[in-house]
Amino acid sequence: MNDYPAYLLTPPEDGHVYGTLSYNRRSKCWMIRGEPCVTELAKRLFPGCDGRGRGVARFTAHARVIGDLNWLMLRYPLAVKESDKKLWLEALEGAREYAKRKQKNFTDPKSCDPPASEFSGTLMPFQKLGLGFLLNNRRCLLADEMGLGKTVQALSFIAALSAYPALIVSPPHLVRNWVRECERFLKPDGSLRIHVIRGLTPYSLPEADVYVIHYLLLRGWKTELPGYNFGCVIFDEVQELRHSGTEKYSAASLLSGACENVIGLSGTPIYNNGGEIWNVINIIDFHFLGDFESFSREWCCGYNSMIVQKPDVLGEHLKREGLILRRMKSEVLKELPPKRRLVQEIDWDDKVYRLYMKPVEGQLHQLKEASTASQRALIEDQISQTHRQATGIAKAPYVAAFVKMLVENGEKVLLMAHHHAVMDIYKKELKSLHPVFITGRETDAKKDQAIVSFMQGKTDLCCISLRSASGLNLQRATCVVFGELDWSPAVHSQAEDRAHRIGQTDSLACYYLVSPRGSDSDIQDALGLKVSQFISLMGDQTPDRDNEFIMQSEARERIRKMVEKLSSALEEKGEI
């Protein structure tokens, strides 16, 4: 007895034949040339079927689509072109295996590990199940809740298939983080080649294993990228494509159509109306939900409506068909540590950084003329503050974009920074989220009001000064984000503990957003952020007085070394 569905039985070869079936190797599709009764029916039944011209219907060579085509042939037999018979039998067998895997994955999920030779990381049990799902469903949306490691699961998928060259499409502020994560997890032998695609004007891409591009550049590369035969395309934060009708969307659609393995990542694939899911799924698997007119008529409240009548039924359909995998933190909480520390590299504005670093030249001149140790210490502190503020301001818009993404994903966020100038940028960039602030500039009454507003759910974003965080109880938070860093490990630990307190039932994610240049590099070294993703040197225990003195001495030495490095760099440029 066959263990695959009846619609995948072998079509009859005797009786009336309604046309021919052949494979178009250039467009990678199966083509029916036959009687109008067949081609017209194919176009009505399968909106994803491309059918320009009378008597012609084309089907994408996807395992699921092959199943639809075979079902049609059971009723309307077609003669397979002699030179394509072997290829058709292989495609049909692939569709049967796909159907069996899909059913097995739904009833008995498969747990997989990527090969250690290709991947340097350890997946949690639910992430191994995620990899198994991705391997069984090569066009799908991984919609795990924020903080469950969608990035690492996507990279393990690339590693497991050795799907190079791979293309990663991400929002602008996450490009650097993808580069960093690729370097961390892929090809442990150090042979990984990464290229970040720059600019709207196409150029000849150098050979690489992984290419990274952000969504704003897709329109410029619309006709170029589909010709590169990528082994895998990852659309990070795929909700960026929830609106069709743009050049960005059109470029993503062409890119997806030219690749066999397409994975979308998003904790919130829709923002406003359920109908947005059609646009997202249509990128991942073209016309899986039919054309939009058909989708809105059958799933929504009427023609062109974006309101899905039964979203739970639609969700189950997509899950059952292997298009979506969604896990919540509450489902896998036992597998997560109580507190997760994650280092995320983000972009910054180099022009802004240079502008705010101008005062350092004069401060370094003063340092050379200082005659006492106390004078030198005072000036070094001023230089350190200038350097840290310039770094914080240069990356502030990108920090804000990351935080906005977290809040839109349903997270309750504490955003930590040090400088008032940085906080002012956050206030402007994040105005739409109605944040509250505890920065030392507020009265006690306003500070109390900010705490109440956050804890009662009137806002999901509270911005706090690093040195004003002690004593606060904000355990409603699910994420702590450090937009700026401090020299002292204990300061970060105390800031984390504003949320990681009695009453906190979630696994707390602590994001350290670092820039590739500026003071972050020196402070990263001091804090051990470059040693491990799960930081081991952050001072989880409240330091005693002796340890505080030691840490202050260490911070003083680190500031001195940072100033020396700045001075040497400017001297080389002839600026001092």
Side-chain angles (χ1 to χ4, degrees), residues 1 36 63 65 105 135 144 175 184 261 266 278 300 321 341 353 368 370 377 383 393 506 522 535:
M1 183 177 178
V65 179
N105 198 63
L135 291 172
D144 285 348
V175 167
R184 181 166 182 254
N261 301 299
S266 177
W278 182 89
C300 302
E321 291 298 315
R341 287 167 170 151
Y353 171 74
K368 284 187 174 183
I383 294 172
I393 291 174
D506 206 343
D522 297 292
I535 307 152

Side-chain angles (χ1 to χ4, degrees), residues 279-295:
N279 291 325
V280 173
I281 295 299
N282 207 48
I283 289 291
I284 294 170
D285 199 339
F286 183 68
H287 277 192
F288 174 82
L289 290 172
D291 57 39
F292 184 73
E293 185 179 278
S294 304
F295 171 78

Side-chain angles (χ1 to χ4, degrees), residues 126 142-151 173-174 236-237 239 265-268 326-330 332 336 340 342 344 401-413 478-479 481 506-509 511 513:
F126 74 89
L142 180 58
D144 285 348
E145 192 176 9
M146 191 80 181
L148 295 187
K150 292 187 289 294
T151 297
H173 64 281
L174 294 179
D236 187 25
E237 300 299 333
Q239 74 272 11
L265 306 178
S266 177
T268 52
R326 169 79 165 171
R327 278 86 57 89
M328 307 293 286
K329 274 187 283 187
S330 56
V332 298
L336 297 174
R340 292 163 289 144
L342 305 107
Q344 193 104 355
F402 183 84
V403 168
K404 187 175 183 182
M405 179 185 69
L406 286 176
V407 175
E408 288 173 344
N409 271 271
E411 303 290 351
K412 289 78 178 173
V413 180
T478 57
C479 289
V481 177
D506 206 343
S507 175
L508 185 70
Y511 291 95
L513 304 187

Side-chain angles (χ1 to χ4, degrees), residues 2 95 205 270 292 371 489 536:
N2 297 318
L205 294 179
I270 58 174
F292 184 73
S371 57
S536 59

Side-chain angles (χ1 to χ4, degrees), residues 166-168 179 193-198 203-213 221:
L167 177 69
I168 295 165
V179 171
R193 299 166 299 171
I194 303 177
H195 177 74
V196 177
I197 299 174
R198 307 285 187 188
Y203 54 89
S204 181
L205 294 179
E207 283 192 17
D209 301 300
V210 177
Y211 297 88
V212 186
I213 188 172
W221 290 80

Side-chain angles (χ1 to χ4, degrees), residues 413-417 423 436-455 461-477 480 491-504 508:
V413 180
L414 303 183
L415 174 56
M416 302 289 177
M423 284 290 191
V436 292
F437 289 81
I438 302 172
T439 66
R441 292 189 286 188
E442 299 78 18
T443 63
D444 288 343
K446 284 190 175 181
K447 177 181 175 181
D448 291 342
Q449 185 180 353
I451 294 171
V452 170
S453 294
F454 182 78
M455 291 302 291
L461 175 59
C462 183
C463 303
I464 307 173
S465 173
L466 275 166
R467 299 273 174 166
S468 298
S470 60
L472 299 177
N473 294 306
L474 297 165
Q475 58 267 42
R476 178 173 173 264
V480 179
V491 168
H492 298 86
S493 184
Q494 287 174 356
E496 291 174 349
D497 286 345
R498 298 317 97 209
H500 195 242
R501 307 178 71 80
I502 294 174
Q504 171 63 268
L508 185 70

Side-chain angles (χ1 to χ4, degrees), residues 41-144:
L41 183 65
K43 294 168 191 176
R44 277 196 294 120
L45 285 176
F46 309 109
C49 169
D50 179 19
R52 297 191 194 97
R54 185 185 299 112
V56 177
R58 298 177 181 84
F59 288 77
T60 304
H62 181 284
R64 175 183 56 77
V65 179
I66 295 298
D68 293 338
L69 177 56
N70 192 77
W71 175 78
L72 180 68
M73 290 170 63
L74 290 173
R75 171 61 181 85
Y76 297 97
L78 299 170
V80 181
K81 188 178 176 181
E82 192 64 34
S83 60
D84 294 328
K85 279 187 175 180
K86 182 180 178 183
L87 194 62
W88 169 252
L89 291 175
E90 290 173 353
L92 182 56
E93 187 57 34
R96 289 166 176 167
E97 289 300 318
Y98 169 79
K100 288 188 286 186
R101 287 199 313 269
K102 184 180 70 174
Q103 181 60 30
K104 183 174 176 57
N105 198 63
F106 190 74
T107 57
D108 183 22
K110 179 184 177 183
S111 180
C112 293
D113 252 322
S117 59
E118 292 289 330
F119 186 80
S120 59
T122 302
L123 299 181
M124 296 181 188
F126 74 89
Q127 292 172 333
K128 293 179 182 181
L129 288 171
L131 174 57
F133 180 88
L134 297 179
L135 291 172
N136 280 335
N137 303 279
R138 305 292 179 84
R139 286 181 172 268
C140 64
L141 169 61
L142 180 58
D144 285 348

